[in-house]
Amino acid sequence: MIADSDYIKTVFGLKLKQQRQKKGWSLQDLADKTGLSKSYLNEIENGKKYPKHDKILHLSDVLDTKFDDLVSTKLDKTLSPVSEILKSDFFKEIPLELFGINRNSLINIISEAPKKVTAFINTLIEISQNYNLGKERFYFAVVRSFQEMYDNYFPEIEEKAVEFATKYKVGFGKKIDVKKLEKILTEKLGYEIRYEDFSTHDVLENLRSLFIPEKKLLLLNHLLDENQKVFILAKEIGFNVLELAPRPNTYSWIDFSSFEELLNNFYAAYFAGCLLISKEEIVEKFSDFIAEKTWNPHKFDEMVTHFTNSPETFYYRLTNILPSELGIKDLFYLCFTKKKDSDKILMMKELHLNQQQAPHAKATNEHYCRRWVAVKNLEHLKVNEKLTDAQISHYKDSGLSYLVISTSQKNPFSDGTNRSYCLGILLNTNSLKRIKFAKSDSIITENVGVTCETCSISDCDVRQAPPIRIEKETFNENMKKAVAKFRKDLL
């Protein structure tokens, strides 16, 4: 719900506009009749200003309407749907300003056809509920859209990370000293850091960290490995260096109170990624790697381990630098997980840059294509193994092909769960020119779909479910043709 003062101004503006339009007057007409400036009246109608008592009396006289009706916050039938939207959490939940959308401009659009626009908004809400798009899913989708809008590259944060590393003489990647980060937090930022056995606290055994702001106390799970410690400490420094508030106090995520909190969490994590992997060095090494004429998974693994013990961090960092530094803009990043003794594959994270690339998450419990290299790796992974491979994925229905590189491994912070990370790069003139091994025989090409239920590949030997959505579309198309033929025969 918008603030009371904003609500009063917005409702007054809507009523003024409604009364003016009933008279068939333009904004200039009202300005001429009242002696008030057109720009001032425009600001009133847009909910930016609220006139003084004498001006409201003058407006009501000119418009031949009652003073009490004009100042009342009750809207008539034609605008009642607008009132419902204004009183709801719609404007609180959706960060319109993030995408350059003016709240009052949207209110004006709603007021032009309140019933139709409100019905449209309610339809979106109903669809989100039917597809299990709760508040958390929605917020994460908005953050992804924000990242995609900026090619997931934020130079201000990159600069802040370099400034910090230079000031405190902190190395990048594996050169980062955990003890040094701890010292910066405790001595420079006034933190207390303790390692805790969370398993003694009910269901908290998988909690990685807990920050208690009242005491500036950071509790870290004593089971964390060095790489996890570095990331959490670097992220904590990011909250301070970037002066981010509000912020989450747990990792992994448990709950959040606002979208701003979620966005700040992303900014802090981005800062940590900048410290973990130097932009200049990864650009240099990845450029050398894609100049190779043959795909070599061992060299790829060596490149990853040079920077970090976390393939996830490396893959995600590539999404920051490929568009901005190497001009490779059409790509996607995905993270899958598979539990022990379960056939179910879940997509945990996704990011699509420059367009909505073919493989994306489904909230409809459909079966992801088993021909994807990331999924194949996940299913073939042995205990304590790390598996890296690549393939050219050709999407038959769209005609698009992607170079997909994937690494699968045991999830380092859970028992019996494997994870698969992958980067997909659209094969076009630009990417084929840069990635020399993309045309080599060292990489197989595989026809793939998105989900079994939407896939038209007829000879697939790893299909998990029939193509029910394709079959339904085909049936409907045949029905249309049959009806058209039947009508033609009758005429």
Side-chain angles (χ1 to χ4, degrees):
M1 180 176 178
I2 62 177
D4 288 343
S5 60
D6 288 338
Y7 179 75
I8 291 169
K9 286 190 286 187
T10 299
V11 170
F12 185 88
L14 288 172
K15 285 192 165 189
L16 182 64
K17 183 178 181 179
Q18 186 184 48
Q19 292 299 323
R20 173 177 64 77
Q21 290 177 336
K22 278 183 181 179
K23 295 281 188 182
W25 296 348
S26 68
L27 204 58
Q28 187 61 57
D29 292 333
L30 184 60
D32 293 339
K33 294 175 186 297
T34 59
L36 301 172
S37 72
K38 181 181 175 182
S39 60
Y40 177 65
L41 291 170
N42 184 56
E43 286 187 298
I44 294 173
E45 288 194 358
N46 283 323
K48 293 180 180 179
K49 287 189 176 178
Y50 192 86
K52 291 182 179 179
H53 186 273
D54 61 326
K55 286 188 172 64
I56 297 175
L57 276 172
H58 184 44
L59 285 166
S60 61
D61 286 340
V62 171
L63 291 165
D64 193 25
T65 186
K66 293 180 180 178
F67 175 90
D68 290 343
D69 288 343
L70 204 56
V71 297
S72 169
T73 56
K74 187 176 180 181
L75 293 166
D76 65 20
K77 278 186 180 180
T78 59
L79 290 175
S80 59
V82 182
S83 179
E84 292 174 18
I85 294 295
L86 293 176
K87 288 178 179 178
S88 73
D89 284 335
F90 180 76
F91 290 103
K92 178 184 175 184
E93 302 286 2
I94 301 178
L96 299 169
E97 69 285 349
L98 199 66
F99 299 96
I101 300 173
N102 182 278
R103 176 178 62 83
N104 290 307
S105 297
L106 184 57
I107 290 171
N108 281 331
I109 292 171
I110 297 172
S111 67
E112 292 294 337
K115 290 182 180 179
K116 290 181 180 179
V117 178
T118 303
F120 174 69
I121 291 171
N122 288 336
T123 300
L124 294 179
I125 293 170
E126 185 177 340
I127 290 172
S128 71
Q129 291 170 342
N130 289 339
Y131 281 82
N132 193 30
L133 184 62
K135 179 179 175 182
E136 182 176 335
R137 277 177 174 267
F138 174 77
Y139 274 6
F140 277 106
V142 175
V143 170
R144 284 199 303 272
S145 296
F146 177 67
Q147 293 172 252
E148 291 159 11
M149 195 165 63
Y150 289 93
D151 285 336
N152 200 31
Y153 182 69
F154 298 88
E156 301 86 359
I157 301 179
E158 298 273 353
E159 290 170 11
K160 289 278 188 181
V162 172
E163 286 174 11
F164 172 83
T166 303
K167 180 178 179 179
Y168 291 101
K169 296 182 172 57
V170 174
F172 288 95
K174 290 185 174 181
K175 297 175 185 175
I176 293 182
D177 183 354
V178 171
K179 295 297 181 184
K180 188 160 191 174
L181 294 184
E182 289 179 352
K183 189 174 181 181
I184 291 169
L185 281 164
T186 55
E187 295 184 5
K188 303 295 182 181
L189 299 173
Y191 274 60
E192 179 186 352
I193 299 174
R194 291 209 310 253
Y195 287 87
E196 188 82 13
D197 182 1
F198 286 127
S199 65
T200 61
H201 302 276
D202 296 327
V203 295
L204 299 183
E205 60 180 330
N206 287 326
L207 189 67
R208 301 189 186 190
S209 69
L210 171 63
F211 177 60
I212 303 173
E214 296 83 359
K215 295 184 175 182
K216 262 200 167 181
L217 172 61
L218 180 62
L219 300 174
L220 299 176
N221 194 315
H222 74 296
L223 297 177
L224 292 172
D225 63 29
E226 288 296 297
N227 194 68
Q228 292 162 340
K229 290 177 190 175
V230 166
F231 181 79
I232 292 172
L233 294 172
K235 186 176 171 183
E236 199 62 42
I237 289 170
F239 282 121
N240 287 269
V241 171
L242 301 176
E243 300 179 343
L244 300 172
R247 51 153 295 174
N249 294 322
T250 61
Y251 182 63
S252 299
W253 198 272
I254 294 178
D255 195 14
F256 52 88
S257 59
S258 67
F259 174 78
E260 189 179 4
E261 186 177 316
L262 185 63
L263 186 61
N264 286 339
N265 183 68
F266 161 70
Y267 286 146
Y270 190 101
F271 178 91
C274 296
L275 282 185
L276 290 170
I277 298 180
S278 160
K279 180 178 74 173
E280 286 71 19
E281 191 174 7
I282 192 174
V283 167
E284 179 185 349
K285 288 194 174 294
F286 194 77
S287 296
D288 290 342
F289 179 76
I290 60 177
E292 298 278 342
K293 293 184 179 180
T294 304
W295 157 251
N296 188 324
H298 301 296
K299 281 191 176 181
F300 185 85
D301 281 339
E302 287 174 1
M303 177 172 56
V304 174
T305 54
H306 169 80
F307 290 100
T308 174
N309 292 322
S310 168
E312 179 178 16
T313 301
F314 181 83
Y315 275 88
Y316 192 80
R317 188 69 171 128
L318 285 177
T319 69
N320 302 144
I321 63 99
L322 290 184
S324 64
E325 303 299 319
L326 297 179
I328 300 174
K329 296 181 179 293
D330 298 280
L331 55 87
F332 63 80
Y333 162 79
L334 305 174
C335 171
F336 299 94
T337 187
K338 181 179 180 293
K339 291 185 178 179
K340 185 180 180 182
D341 302 325
S342 172
D343 292 330
K344 194 167 186 179
I345 307 286
L346 297 176
M347 188 183 291
M348 304 300 293
K349 298 177 184 178
E350 63 173 324
L351 185 68
H352 305 264
L353 299 186
N354 209 31
Q355 58 179 298
Q356 186 67 13
Q357 313 294 345
H360 47 82
K362 295 277 185 181
T364 52
N365 293 319
E366 294 186 0
H367 299 78
Y368 294 116
C369 180
R370 261 42 180 187
R371 292 184 172 196
W372 290 350
V373 63
V375 173
K376 285 190 290 187
N377 281 359
L378 206 53
E379 291 187 316
H380 298 152
L381 195 65
K382 296 176 182 177
V383 177
N384 295 324
E385 182 186 29
K386 186 168 79 170
L387 185 59
T388 296
D389 205 354
Q391 73 178 37
I392 305 296
S393 290
H394 177 71
Y395 287 84
K396 179 183 174 184
D397 295 330
S398 67
L400 300 176
S401 295
Y402 295 82
L403 165 66
V404 184
I405 303 173
S406 176
T407 297
S408 301
Q409 66 175 18
K410 178 184 176 183
N411 185 356
F413 210 75
S414 68
D415 182 27
T417 302
N418 293 329
R419 281 198 171 194
S420 210
Y421 316 101
C422 74
L423 181 80
I425 299 172
L426 180 66
L427 292 180
N428 53 28
T429 305
N430 177 52
S431 58
L432 285 170
K433 182 179 178 181
R434 286 185 170 277
I435 307 170
K436 303 301 182 184
F437 59 76
K439 294 180 180 179
S440 75
D441 295 333
S442 58
I443 300 181
I444 64 166
T445 297
E446 186 87 76
N447 287 324
V448 300
V450 177
T451 66
C452 295
E453 288 80 355
T454 61
C455 181
S456 62
I457 299 173
S458 57
D459 60 345
C460 181
D461 57 353
V462 290
R463 181 180 286 280
Q464 302 293 302
I468 52 176
R469 288 174 65 184
I470 292 287
E471 290 170 351
K472 185 177 180 180
E473 290 173 8
T474 303
F475 176 79
N476 289 342
E477 191 61 35
N478 290 337
M479 282 282 286
K480 288 179 187 177
K481 290 177 181 177
V483 168
K485 184 178 183 304
F486 183 58
R487 286 186 59 182
K488 185 179 179 181
D489 291 344
L490 288 175
L491 294 174

